[in-house]
């Protein structure tokens, strides 16, 4: 009975893990009004949705949205058609298709590429704004640099704050400098978007970590032990894996036959890096908790992942610290997998030797 319960529990965690992994795959918008939270949200070419509201790492519209698009994302790209207005708070906003209504954007960079069209007004606050498409309404732009390309066409007036460069003949109406225009909302919006996305990533990491601890408790304890007992050697192995595996995959991809293997290996390596980050944060937290006499793997998982999510937000220091944690986790994972493989290999050898010793000797 106990064995059956463990089997059912592991099966349940595998299903949950599969759902979590699917959540990291680009999500496709449904045929009606859509509200999504995902790593990537895509309206596919040939697909039509009524409206789109999304919070994601990346939002791409290749098909048609007949209504409005409202998004908070790391990157927003409109290659298809938007029948209503576009409101975006993002690291970058690129319009290469058409927006029939107004565009309001707060972003690091806003770009309207050649051939793109905006049927209404454009209001943008950004670090830089580049306009090479056509705008039927007025433009209010505030940025360090506003560049008008050779193919730009603005039917209405242009009010700007910042440095205006390029083809000013593209403006049919009045051009007027106004320092109050386009207050850059990026310093306010980007931290909020960053923290929200960090919460999403934290949830995914907790789900993966819970599955690893439940499915492989002894292996997970071994990972934590390797980081605590031999961090230098574990980190060196992590460096070797992080550098060596991509080189090996490139070498395999040189041959035509090896391209599919290299692709599958790349997916596996990406998963290993994700697991390495989770294991690294868990292992360091388990090590620190054990130093004060607390032995609880679930507490270590939650504490490690929450602390890791906070540390990566620290300017300048966050990314280097996260890299060290990754190297420790990846190295411990690699050592654990090698040890597991080596143990099974020795058992197979002993088993084979035992079978041969029992065989009758014949002339």
């Amino acid at each position: 009975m106990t064995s059956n319960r463990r089997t059912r529990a592991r099966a349940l965690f595998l299903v949950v893990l599969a759902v979590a992994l699917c959540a990291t795959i680009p999500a496709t918008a449904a045929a009606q009004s859509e509200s999504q939270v995902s790593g990537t949200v895509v309206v596919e070419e040939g697909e039509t949705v009524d409206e789109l509201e999304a919070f994601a790492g990346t939002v791409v519209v290749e098909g048609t949205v007949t209504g409005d698009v409202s998004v908070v994302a790391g990157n927003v790209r409109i290659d298809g058609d938007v029948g209503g207005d576009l409101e975006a708070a993002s690291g970058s906003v690129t319009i290469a298709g058409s927006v029939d209504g107004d565009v309001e954007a707060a972003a690091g960079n806003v770009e309207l590429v050649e051939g793109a069209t905006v049927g209404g007004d454009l209001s943008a606050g950004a670090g830089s704004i580049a306009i090479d498409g056509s705008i039927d309404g007025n433009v209010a732009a505030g940025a360090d640099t506003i560049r008008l390309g050779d193919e730009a066409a603005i039917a209405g007036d242009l009010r700007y704050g910042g440095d205006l460069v390029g083809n000013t003949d593209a403006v049919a109406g009045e051009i007027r400098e106004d320092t109050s225009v386009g207050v850059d909302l990026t310093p306010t919006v980007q931290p909020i978007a960053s923290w929200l996305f960090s919460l999403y990533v934290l949830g995914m990491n907790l789900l993966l970590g819970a599955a690893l601890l439940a499915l492989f408790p002894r292996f997970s304890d071994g990972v934590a032990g390797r980081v605590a007992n031999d961090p230098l050697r574990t980190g060196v192995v992590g460096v070797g894996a992080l550098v060596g595996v991509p080189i090996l995959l490139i070498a395999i991809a040189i041959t035509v036959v090896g391209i599919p293997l290299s692709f599958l290996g790349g997916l596996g390596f990406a998963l290993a890096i994700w697991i390495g980050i989770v294991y690294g944060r868990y292992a360091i937290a388990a090590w620190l908790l054990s130093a004060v006499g607390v032995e609880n793997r679930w507490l270590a998982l939650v504490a490690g992942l929450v602390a890791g999510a906070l540390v990566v937000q620290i300017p300048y220091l966050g990314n280097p610290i996260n890299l060290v944690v990754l190297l420790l986790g990846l190295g411990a994972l690699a050592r654990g997998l090698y040890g597991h493989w080596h143990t099974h290999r020795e058992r197979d050898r002993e088993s084979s030797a035992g079978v041969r010793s029992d065989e009758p000797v014949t002339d």
Side-chain angles (χ1 to χ4, degrees):
M1 292 295 292
T2 302
S3 178
N4 291 335
R5 288 177 181 174
R6 289 179 179 175
T7 301
R8 288 196 295 269
R10 290 191 176 192
L12 176 61
F13 269 101
L14 284 174
V15 171
V16 174
L17 179 58
V19 172
L21 291 174
C22 289
T24 64
I25 298 174
T28 303
Q32 301 299 322
S33 298
E34 187 71 12
S35 298
Q36 292 200 20
V37 176
S38 180
T40 302
V41 175
V42 180
V43 179
E44 300 284 359
E45 185 176 358
E47 182 182 7
T48 300
V49 301
D50 294 340
E51 293 182 345
L52 178 62
E53 296 180 358
F55 165 70
T58 300
V59 175
V60 180
V61 176
E62 298 176 342
T64 301
V65 180
T66 57
D68 298 334
V69 174
S70 300
V71 296
V72 175
N75 298 287
V76 177
R77 184 175 180 89
I78 308 297
D79 292 320
D81 302 315
V82 176
D85 298 333
L86 169 63
E87 297 179 353
S90 175
S92 67
V93 176
T94 303
I95 302 175
S98 65
V99 177
D100 293 344
D102 298 331
V103 173
E104 295 184 6
N109 299 288
V110 175
E111 183 179 10
L112 188 68
V113 306
E114 182 178 344
T117 61
V118 173
D121 298 334
L122 170 67
S123 300
S128 65
I129 299 173
I131 300 175
D132 285 289
S134 61
I135 300 171
D136 293 342
N138 301 314
V139 173
D144 291 336
T145 303
I146 302 105
R147 184 184 63 82
L148 303 179
D150 294 337
E151 302 301 321
I154 299 174
D157 299 332
L158 169 63
R159 291 189 302 124
Y160 72 95
D163 293 331
L164 178 64
V165 298
N167 179 25
T168 55
D169 292 336
V171 182
E174 178 187 3
I175 299 177
R176 179 163 57 92
E177 184 176 8
D178 185 347
T179 56
S180 66
V181 169
V183 176
D184 189 1
L185 299 180
T186 305
T188 302
V189 174
Q190 280 189 331
I192 296 174
S194 177
W195 278 102
L196 287 175
F197 191 67
S198 294
L199 289 175
Y200 168 76
V201 173
L202 174 61
M204 300 299 298
N205 287 343
L206 285 170
L207 195 56
L208 174 62
L212 291 171
L213 294 189
L215 293 172
F216 314 107
R218 286 189 297 178
F219 184 86
S220 299
D221 289 344
V223 167
R226 291 181 185 91
V227 172
N229 299 326
D230 197 355
L232 180 59
R233 181 182 176 188
T234 301
V236 170
V237 173
V239 173
L242 189 63
V243 175
V245 172
I247 293 175
L248 178 61
L249 293 175
I250 293 173
I252 294 174
I254 291 177
T255 63
V256 176
V257 177
I259 291 177
L261 295 177
S262 180
F263 176 75
L264 293 175
L267 293 178
F269 185 56
L271 178 60
I273 289 178
W274 184 17
I275 294 175
I277 291 174
V278 172
Y279 263 152
R281 294 178 180 179
Y282 158 72
I284 291 175
W287 177 26
L288 294 176
L289 287 174
S290 65
V292 294
V294 178
E295 300 287 346
N296 187 313
R297 63 163 63 99
W298 297 105
L299 177 60
L301 175 67
V302 174
L305 292 180
V306 171
L310 295 174
V311 166
V312 296
Q313 302 294 331
I314 301 175
Y316 306 112
L317 293 178
N319 288 331
I321 293 174
N322 196 46
L323 176 60
V324 172
V325 172
L326 167 61
L327 294 177
L328 290 173
L330 189 61
L333 175 63
R335 290 182 62 191
L337 292 175
Y338 175 78
H340 186 72
W341 170 81
H342 183 71
T343 300
H344 276 273
R345 185 181 179 186
E346 290 300 319
R347 288 177 180 174
D348 291 340
R349 284 181 178 178
E350 292 175 0
S351 177
S352 299
V355 170
R356 285 196 297 270
S357 64
D358 292 337
E359 293 177 351
V361 179
T362 58
D363 294 330

